[in-house]
């Protein structure tokens, strides 16, 4: 079974600074997808960024980028120029590329942004 | 485009009762996923419905069941409620391809007394 591990239960960052959230996963599959979801205090989960395992290039979405290390099974999220609105729970998630398509989540990292 | 909607927002039940939670997916999405977000346990996959069929279920007892209707909306039923069923239940929908993003609803907070 696939597992996702987020080793940082809580992190904080100064506004306008950069922070990196860690995620490792375990799978025997070669075809899969990785995601970072954000859950603000209002609780609706939204997708931050997505990475296809077959793509070597790291995904970027504006201030958000990932460092995808397939051999190390590592998938970290970097948030640049942190803003107050970035404060939320961040979940790393894994999905198989075939078969069952549910998400397997890490336990989350609570990010605080200090003004 | 309307997002995923869930009802009710909050639900309070007592042990042994049954709870019914509802989810309406985004128009055009045929897959609905249910997840349980319990304190300290993170997000756990419950059930996956696609085209009216149950495609997969997570490691939950048969007390957790559901269905998907012809309009792709879905219902989650929890029978014989136990205190540890207290959690936020999230519904997500997507088109049925693996690379497609799952869009989440706001959740139903179930409290079992």
């Amino acid at each position: 079974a696939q597992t996702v591990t987020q080793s940082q239960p809580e992190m904080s960052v100064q506004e306008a600074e950069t922070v990196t959230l860690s995620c490792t996963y375990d799978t025997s599959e070669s075809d899969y997808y990785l995601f970072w979801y954000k859950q603000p205090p209002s609780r609706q989960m939204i997708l931050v960024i997505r990475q296809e395992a077959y793509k070597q290039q790291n995904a970027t979405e504006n201030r958000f980028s990932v460092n995808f290390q397939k051999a190390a099974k590592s998938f970290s999220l970097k948030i640049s120029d942190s803003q107050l609105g970035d404060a939320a729970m961040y979940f790393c998630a894994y999905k198989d590329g075939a078969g069952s398509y549910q998400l397997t989540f890490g336990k989350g990292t609570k990010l605080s942004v200090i003004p | 485009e309307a997002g995923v909607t869930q009802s009710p927002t909050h639900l309070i039940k007592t042990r042994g009762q049954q709870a019914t939670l509802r989810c309406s997916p985004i128009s055009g999405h045929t897959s609905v996923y249910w997840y349980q977000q319990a304190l300290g346990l993170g997000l756990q996959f419950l059930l996956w419905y696609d085209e009216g069929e149950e495609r997969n279920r997570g490691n939950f007892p048969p007390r957790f069941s559901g269905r998907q209707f012809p309009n792709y909306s879905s219902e989650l039923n929890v029978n014989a409620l136990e205190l540890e069923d207290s959690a936020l239940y999230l519904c997500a929908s997507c088109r049925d391809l693996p690379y497609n993003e799952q869009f989440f609803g706001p959740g139903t907070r179930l409290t079992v007394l």
Side-chain angles (χ1 to χ4, degrees):
Chain A
Q2 291 78 9
T3 59
V4 177
T5 302
Q6 293 179 249
S7 58
Q8 306 150 316
E10 293 189 31
M11 290 197 72
S12 62
V13 61
Q14 291 284 145
E15 198 175 1
E17 296 296 308
T18 295
V19 64
T20 299
L21 308 184
S22 301
C23 173
T24 58
Y25 59 95
D26 189 26
T27 183
S28 58
E29 303 294 330
S30 58
D31 181 21
Y32 53 89
Y33 301 84
L34 296 165
F35 306 83
W36 278 98
Y37 277 89
K38 170 184 176 181
Q39 188 178 38
S42 65
R43 79 188 178 194
Q44 189 136 10
M45 298 262 285
I46 55 173
L47 179 68
V48 175
I49 198 164
R50 165 176 51 197
Q51 175 79 44
E52 294 86 345
Y54 62 86
K55 289 187 177 178
Q56 291 189 336
Q57 187 172 8
N58 290 325
T60 62
E61 286 288 343
N62 301 312
R63 298 182 295 108
F64 299 88
S65 62
V66 299
N67 184 3
F68 174 47
Q69 302 288 329
K70 191 171 184 178
K73 295 181 181 174
S74 170
F75 182 60
S76 61
L77 173 70
K78 185 171 83 170
I79 306 174
S80 303
D81 186 26
S82 296
Q83 300 175 0
L84 295 177
D86 295 333
M89 282 292 290
Y90 286 82
F91 292 95
C92 178
Y94 166 99
K95 179 161 67 168
D96 274 341
S100 193
Y101 299 149
Q102 71 266 16
L103 293 166
T104 300
F105 288 91
K107 292 204 180 298
T109 297
K110 183 178 181 181
L111 178 67
S112 300
V113 180
I114 304 164
Chain B
E1 179 182 78
V4 177
T5 59
Q6 292 186 244
S7 63
T9 304
H10 295 90
L11 192 55
I12 299 174
K13 295 285 186 179
T14 56
R15 283 177 59 190
Q17 285 189 312
Q18 179 197 35
T20 298
L21 289 64
R22 296 179 177 84
C23 171
S24 291
I26 290 171
S27 176
H29 288 189
T30 60
S31 277
V32 170
Y33 299 79
W34 288 95
Y35 296 89
Q36 182 195 65
Q37 188 174 18
L39 208 58
L41 295 179
L43 281 142
Q44 306 283 327
F45 164 68
L46 262 167
L47 290 159
W48 170 31
Y49 292 95
D50 183 60
E51 297 285 359
E53 300 286 330
E54 181 181 303
R55 302 295 185 184
N56 200 16
R57 67 180 293 127
N59 189 25
F60 282 83
R63 307 187 289 109
F64 290 83
S65 65
R67 54 181 171 166
Q68 187 178 34
F69 299 98
N71 66 354
Y72 303 114
S73 66
S74 177
E75 204 171 79
L76 173 68
N77 295 294
V78 188
N79 294 319
L81 284 165
E82 300 178 2
L83 296 178
E84 52 265 34
D85 297 334
S86 294
L88 182 67
Y89 290 83
L90 295 173
C91 168
S93 76
C94 74
R95 299 183 193 276
D96 61 354
L97 296 172
Y99 52 80
N100 285 320
E101 161 187 1
Q102 290 186 16
F103 292 82
F104 283 81
T108 292
R109 171 72 64 187
L110 173 63
T111 302
V112 183
L113 302 175

